[in-house]
Amino acid sequence: MNKRLKQHRHLLEDHRILQGLLHSFAIPTYIIDKQHRVIHWNRAMEALTGIAAAKILDKTDHWRAFYRTHHPCLIDLLVDGKLVEIETLYGPGGTMPEVLEDAHEFVGYYPGLGDEGKWLRVTASVLRDDQGQVIGAVETMEDITEHKRADEERESLVVELQNALAKIKTLKGLLPICASCKKIRNDKGYWEQIENYLHDHSEAEFSHGICPECAKKLYPKYYRSKK
């Protein structure tokens, strides 16, 4: 067996091992070559996108898995070294770490994935040969939908609590009240009915009535006639 044939077989074996490792990788991962052709699409990517590897390998329209209209994926821009386009297209859409020449990460929402869309943390990096030449790129995706929605629900709850607290009025400190008529002196020095004061400084509402003791004083003839 000549040396070239041995090298070829070793390369095939290495490729087979790599394919097996990537397919067993739990994180959705795909790889493109320098010509933007998909050369690997693991099982986790199939589960995430609903697209089988057989339908996308050797093709360059992998953007269809994520967008309804043509849109360069992060992995494509990295392969072409279009750093300005990366910042323009992906900057506003998610968390933006420092733009690197060989790697980039962002968080974005993909409405076409799943029944209600998905939030993904996308990380892509350039692949180089032993000479330092770009030969492709790899992109991984982490589904953070549940975490993102939990954060949104938490933020919504905080806003609701803040709004509720803002509506609550409390009375604190000493209240100057007349010992005879029970009027309260307000902050401006004027005396006002206690129900008016409490209405302005709390959430209380009043329903007027007459207690039995006052009724006896106000209507003595009525109570005497009942005896």
Side-chain angles (χ1 to χ4, degrees):
M1 185 182 296
N2 59 45
K3 184 177 180 180
R4 181 173 294 180
L5 181 58
K6 287 182 178 180
Q7 290 177 338
H8 179 68
R9 287 188 174 180
H10 283 311
L11 288 173
L12 288 177
E13 181 64 17
D14 290 343
H15 180 73
R16 185 186 67 79
I17 294 173
L18 178 60
Q19 289 285 88
L21 287 173
L22 289 174
H23 270 305
S24 63
F25 197 32
I27 298 176
T29 304
Y30 74 105
I31 301 173
I32 63 172
D33 61 15
K34 180 64 176 175
Q35 287 71 43
H36 302 266
R37 294 174 301 203
V38 176
I39 60 175
H40 185 78
W41 189 269
N42 73 353
R43 293 189 182 96
M45 277 297 296
E46 291 180 325
L48 175 68
T49 63
I51 299 176
K55 293 184 177 181
I56 202 166
L57 289 176
D58 295 324
K59 296 181 180 179
T60 61
D61 59 349
H62 43 280
W63 58 267
R64 295 181 184 275
F66 315 106
Y67 304 102
R68 293 188 175 91
T69 58
H70 186 271
H71 189 291
C73 297
L74 177 58
I75 197 172
D76 297 301
L77 298 176
L78 273 176
V79 162
D80 294 336
K82 296 181 178 180
L83 303 185
V84 174
E85 285 85 346
I86 288 176
E87 188 170 5
T88 300
L89 291 176
Y90 291 97
T95 57
M96 285 290 296
E98 181 181 358
V99 178
L100 304 176
E101 181 181 355
D102 282 354
H104 195 78
E105 180 182 278
F106 81 102
V107 171
Y109 177 68
Y110 293 82
L113 292 179
D115 296 330
E116 300 178 356
K118 292 183 180 296
W119 282 94
L120 301 178
R121 177 177 287 109
V122 180
T123 304
S125 58
V126 167
L127 298 175
R128 297 179 182 272
D129 60 18
D130 54 4
Q131 303 298 316
Q133 299 299 313
V134 175
I135 58 174
V138 57
E139 186 168 288
T140 62
M141 298 182 165
E142 179 187 359
D143 186 351
I144 59 170
T145 305
E146 293 303 319
H147 178 73
K148 189 73 174 178
R149 287 175 180 167
D151 285 345
E152 291 175 349
E153 290 176 1
R154 190 180 302 111
E155 291 174 3
S156 177
L157 179 59
V158 169
V159 172
E160 289 179 7
L161 290 174
Q162 289 175 338
N163 291 336
L165 289 173
K167 294 179 180 179
I168 294 176
K169 298 179 181 180
T170 58
L171 295 174
K172 296 179 180 180
L174 296 174
L175 294 178
I177 186 170
C178 175
S180 177
C181 69
K182 307 304 180 184
K183 288 183 178 180
I184 292 178
R185 189 178 65 202
N186 61 29
D187 298 336
K188 297 181 180 179
Y190 296 104
W191 293 88
E192 59 180 317
Q193 295 292 334
I194 186 171
E195 60 264 33
N196 294 335
Y197 185 89
L198 291 177
H199 179 272
D200 293 338
H201 293 80
S202 73
E203 297 296 320
E205 296 290 340
F206 291 89
S207 176
H208 291 85
I210 299 176
C211 70
E213 288 77 7
C214 291
K216 289 179 181 180
K217 294 179 181 179
L218 294 172
Y219 308 103
K221 293 181 179 181
Y222 172 78
Y223 277 88
R224 281 197 296 267
S225 64
K226 289 180 65 176
K227 294 181 179 180

